[in-house]
Amino acid sequence: MNPKSWRDRVHDEEKLLEQLNGLVSDAATRRAEALREGVAQLGTVADVARDLGRSWQAVDQALKRDERKRKKASEPNAPTTE
């Protein structure tokens, strides 16, 4: 049995990284949706952060990243990073 060439291994790993990046992006979107539900229920980003034991900055940044991603996706002819 011939081992895979380094080129094939690099190609395989690039495909895997692409799949993983997609999974991470999807998880971040779902997380932001849950955080928004938390803000709606508890009232503020700070309340959500306190409830989760996180800093309010971490929660706020997660929500802002998702908003930027949504805004970019809704722009016509916007270049994608995927």
Side-chain angles (χ1 to χ4, degrees):
M1 182 168 106
N2 292 335
K4 284 186 173 183
S5 75
W6 66 268
R7 286 180 180 89
D8 290 338
R9 292 192 330 260
V10 168
H11 178 70
D12 290 347
E13 295 305 324
E14 287 174 346
K15 285 189 340 189
L16 180 58
L17 285 170
E18 186 177 317
Q19 291 172 342
L20 292 171
N21 284 332
L23 291 172
V24 167
S25 178
D26 293 345
T29 298
R30 291 189 304 271
R31 177 177 172 235
E33 289 171 7
L35 290 170
R36 272 192 281 286
E37 286 177 26
V39 171
Q41 183 179 23
L42 298 179
T44 67
V45 168
D47 290 333
V48 170
R50 238 185 320 278
D51 190 76
L52 296 173
R54 308 263 168 76
S55 71
W56 73 267
Q57 292 98 336
V59 173
D60 190 55
Q61 286 175 0
L63 292 170
K64 285 181 180 176
R65 275 192 301 271
D66 186 65
E67 281 300 316
R68 284 192 299 266
K69 187 169 82 171
R70 286 172 182 254
K71 186 177 181 179
K72 219 178 236 187
S74 68
E75 292 175 3
N77 301 321
T80 61
T81 58
E82 297 176 7

